[in-house]
Amino acid sequence: MQETDHALCVDLDGTLLRSDLLYESLLTLLASNPLYVFLLPLWLLRGKAALKREIASRVTLPVEFLPYDERVLELLKTTEQRPRVLCSASDSGLVNAIAAHLGVFDEVMASDGQRNLAGHHKADALNARFGAGHYDYMGNASVDLQVWKHAGGAYVVNAGTGLAASAARQTAVHAHWPARGGGLRTWIKALRIYQWAKNLLVLVPLLTAHRFFDLPAVLDAAAAFIAFGLCASGVYLLNDLLDLAPDRQHARKRKRPFAAGNLPLLQGLLAAPLLTLVGFGLALWTSPAFALVLVGYYVMTLAYSFVLKRMVMIDVVVLAALYTVRIIGGAVAIDVELSFWLLAFSMFIFLSLALLKRYTELEAVISAGKTKASGRGYAVGDLPLIQSFGAAAGYIGVLVFALYINSPESLALYQQPKILWLLCPVLLYWISRAWIIAHRGNMHDDPIVFAARDRVSQAIALLALAIVGCATFQW
C-alpha cells in the first residue's frame, strides 16, 4: 500500500520533461554562438556538474513552452497531501526556473556545479533527506535503478517493459507509463522525407539538356537526388534541434518530433551528422565535382541555420540560392554546361517562393496575436513589403523565361521554340494564384511542398511538360 506521507520524488529529464535539459541548454547555447563548442571540452574536464553549470549560466530557456508529460503533471497536481520533490541531475539554475513555473513542488534538489545529482549520488541525497524506503521515486532510465533499490515505491515513466520489470525487482512499482511517440513514422516525419520534393530540382538540368533517355546520366541524377535528400534531412534535423525554442512558440512547428519531445535530442544529434556523411559519400561516388557542390550547399545551409535566417532579406536571398544550388548540383552531376538563362530564371522564381514562405510565417504570427516572428528578423508591419517584393520577383522570373525563348540556346534545343510562349501565361497564373492563396491565409506549408501536393499545381506541371514536349519535337 502506498504511504501518503511518503515524499513523491520526481526526476526531470525524460520523466516530467519529455526532453533533456542538458541537451536543451547545450543546443540553445550553440544556437546563440557556435564558437562555444570549443569551450565545452575544457568545461567537461572539471566534471559533468561543472559543464552543466557553465552552460546553464549562459542560457535562458523558455520553460513555459517545454514539453512536459501531462500524466506526470496530473499526478503531481492531485497528490497535494504529501511532499512533492523535483529531484534532477540538471543544473539547479534551470531546474528552479521550471519548478517556479509549474508551482507544484514543495522542494527542489538538483546538481549544483560541484556534485552531479544522478545515480548513487541522487540515492544518497534522497536517503539523507527522507530516509531509505520513505519516499517514492519517479524515473525513466536504467540509472534510476540505483535510486529505486532504496525507494519505497517506483513510478516508471517513458520507458519500456524491461525497465519496469527491473524496477519491480527493486521495489513496488505503483505505475508504468510507456513512452509516447517515437518509432519509424515519427522518424520519417523528423527527416521530412516529404521535403525531398525540393530535391527534384536536381533533375531539371537532365530535362533541359534533353538527356532523359541517357541511362548513365539518369543514374547520376538519381544519385544526386538521394545525396541531396540525405544531406538535407541531416540539415533538417540540425535545424530543428537548434530551433527548439522558436518552434515551440509556432502553432504548427511545435508538433515537430523534437520540439514536441517525441524523439530524444541525443538521437537527433547522432543522426544529423550520420545522414550528412552518408550523403557526402554518395556524392563523392557520383563525382568529386558534385561532392564539392554538395559541400557548398551544406556550408550555406549551416550558415543559414546558425546566423543568416535571422537577417532580414539576406535569409530569403540565401533560401533562393539554396534552391538554385540544387539545379547547379544536378548539372554538375551529369556533366552538362550550366545555362545562364536557367540560373537567372531559378534565382528570381525561388526568391519569390522564399518570400512567400516568410509571408506565410508572418500571417501565422498575426493569427497568434503577436507582432514579431520568433527567431526571425521580420515584424508583421513588413507584410505588405514582402508581398510586393515576392510578386515582383516572380514576374521578373517569367520575364527572364520569355527572353530565353528567342535566345540562341533555345533555338538550338527546341524544334519549335515559339510554342514555349504558352508557358508564360501558365507561369504567371501559377505564381499569382500562389500569392493569392497565401494572402487569404490558406497556404500552410512550404510553397514547393504545397505545389507538390496541390492538385491544381500538379495539373499545371503536366500542362507545362506537354508544352515543352510539343516545342521539343517536330510535328
Side-chain angles (χ1 to χ4, degrees):
M1 180 68 68
Q2 179 180 339
E3 297 290 340
T4 57
D5 59 342
H6 282 190
L8 176 60
C9 302
V10 180
D11 182 33
L12 179 62
D13 301 319
T15 304
L16 171 61
L17 187 66
R18 290 162 56 86
S19 186
D20 188 300
L21 276 193
L22 173 58
Y23 298 118
E24 290 270 352
S25 55
L26 173 61
L27 289 165
T28 301
L29 182 71
L30 294 180
S32 66
N33 188 347
L35 296 180
Y36 275 117
V37 71
F38 298 108
L39 290 177
L40 296 177
L42 299 178
W43 295 340
L44 186 58
L45 287 175
R46 292 161 42 205
K48 199 170 182 179
L51 171 70
K52 294 176 180 179
R53 173 54 55 92
E54 293 289 350
I55 296 174
S57 66
R58 290 168 171 80
V59 301
T60 300
L61 296 179
V63 295
E64 65 272 25
F65 296 109
L66 290 173
Y68 299 103
D69 193 303
E70 293 298 330
R71 300 167 298 183
V72 178
L73 278 179
E74 181 62 26
L75 178 64
L76 287 166
K77 291 175 181 177
T78 55
T79 55
E80 298 179 0
Q81 69 274 20
R82 60 175 172 161
R84 295 161 297 177
V85 181
L86 181 57
C87 188
S88 173
S90 292
D91 188 78
S92 59
L94 299 176
V95 178
N96 284 325
I98 289 176
H101 166 67
L102 294 177
V104 294
F105 291 103
D106 304 297
E107 188 175 339
V108 174
M109 302 172 68
S111 297
D112 57 6
Q114 300 295 322
R115 181 176 62 167
N116 187 43
L117 201 67
H120 70 87
H121 291 300
K122 182 180 289 188
D124 293 343
L126 289 174
N127 290 338
R129 175 68 180 83
F130 301 105
H134 292 282
Y135 59 88
D136 293 336
Y137 180 71
M138 183 178 293
N140 71 292
S142 57
V143 68
D144 294 320
L145 291 170
Q146 299 180 49
V147 181
W148 278 322
K149 68 182 179 181
H150 299 285
Y155 291 84
V156 183
V157 183
N158 295 318
T161 55
L163 183 63
S166 297
R169 288 192 286 270
Q170 303 289 341
T171 187
V173 175
H174 298 310
H176 173 217
W177 298 329
R180 293 174 176 173
L184 180 60
R185 292 186 65 178
T186 306
W187 270 107
I188 289 174
K189 183 177 180 181
L191 296 176
R192 297 194 223 175
I193 300 299
Y194 67 93
Q195 292 277 15
W196 284 32
K198 298 177 183 178
N199 300 320
L200 290 172
L201 292 170
V202 303
L203 305 180
V204 170
L206 184 75
L207 300 177
T208 57
H210 297 176
R211 294 185 61 183
F212 30 80
F213 296 122
D214 182 346
L215 183 58
V218 170
L219 292 176
D220 285 339
F225 169 79
I226 296 172
F228 261 106
L230 292 171
C231 190
S233 287
V235 172
Y236 291 141
L237 291 183
L238 181 60
N239 194 55
D240 285 354
L241 291 170
L242 295 174
D243 268 358
L244 290 172
D247 280 357
R248 286 171 181 152
Q249 300 174 52
H250 191 279
R252 178 173 50 83
K253 294 179 181 179
R254 67 186 179 189
K255 298 178 182 177
R256 288 177 174 173
F258 292 109
N262 293 328
L263 287 177
L265 299 182
L266 178 59
Q267 291 184 13
L269 287 169
L270 295 174
L274 179 62
L275 287 167
T276 304
L277 289 174
V278 174
F280 284 149
L282 183 58
L284 193 60
W285 176 82
T286 303
S287 79
F290 173 69
L292 287 176
V293 174
L294 193 62
V295 168
Y297 165 83
Y298 188 72
V299 170
M300 288 176 63
T301 307
L302 285 183
Y304 173 81
S305 297
F306 279 107
V307 179
L308 302 181
K309 67 182 177 184
R310 300 178 182 88
M311 303 176 69
V312 175
M313 292 309 299
I314 289 180
D315 62 333
V316 290
V317 171
V318 172
L319 273 179
L322 288 171
Y323 286 128
T324 305
V325 166
R326 290 174 167 94
I327 295 178
I328 295 173
V332 172
I334 64 173
D335 195 22
V336 297
E337 185 177 351
L338 286 167
S339 166
F340 160 81
W341 293 104
L342 179 58
L343 293 178
F345 169 76
S346 63
M347 194 66 198
F348 282 111
I349 287 294
F350 295 133
L351 177 59
S352 179
L353 296 181
L355 287 162
L356 184 59
K357 183 182 173 87
R358 288 292 175 266
Y359 182 91
T360 302
E361 291 173 352
L362 279 178
E363 283 281 1
V365 168
I366 293 175
S367 299
K370 299 179 182 179
T371 59
K372 188 174 177 63
S374 178
R376 300 287 186 264
Y378 297 93
V380 295
D382 299 327
L383 210 59
L385 271 178
I386 292 174
Q387 187 177 33
S388 300
F389 293 158
Y395 291 159
I396 291 173
V398 179
L399 175 61
V400 170
F401 179 78
L403 294 173
Y404 162 74
I405 292 171
N406 212 35
S407 69
E409 291 90 342
S410 173
L411 296 175
L413 280 172
Y414 296 95
Q415 296 292 324
Q416 301 184 79
K418 291 182 179 180
I419 293 179
L420 293 175
W421 281 103
L422 294 174
L423 282 177
C424 293
V426 171
L427 289 170
L428 287 171
Y429 167 75
W430 183 80
I431 292 167
S432 302
R433 177 177 177 270
W435 275 100
I436 287 176
I437 289 173
H439 179 71
R440 293 176 177 176
N442 294 324
M443 184 168 290
H444 307 297
D445 215 328
D446 183 285
I448 294 208
V449 177
F450 165 81
R453 295 173 173 176
D454 177 49
R455 291 189 179 276
V456 174
S457 297
Q458 292 168 1
I460 289 173
L462 290 175
L463 177 60
L465 287 174
I467 292 171
V468 172
C470 290
T472 301
F473 303 104
Q474 187 69 43
W475 54 279

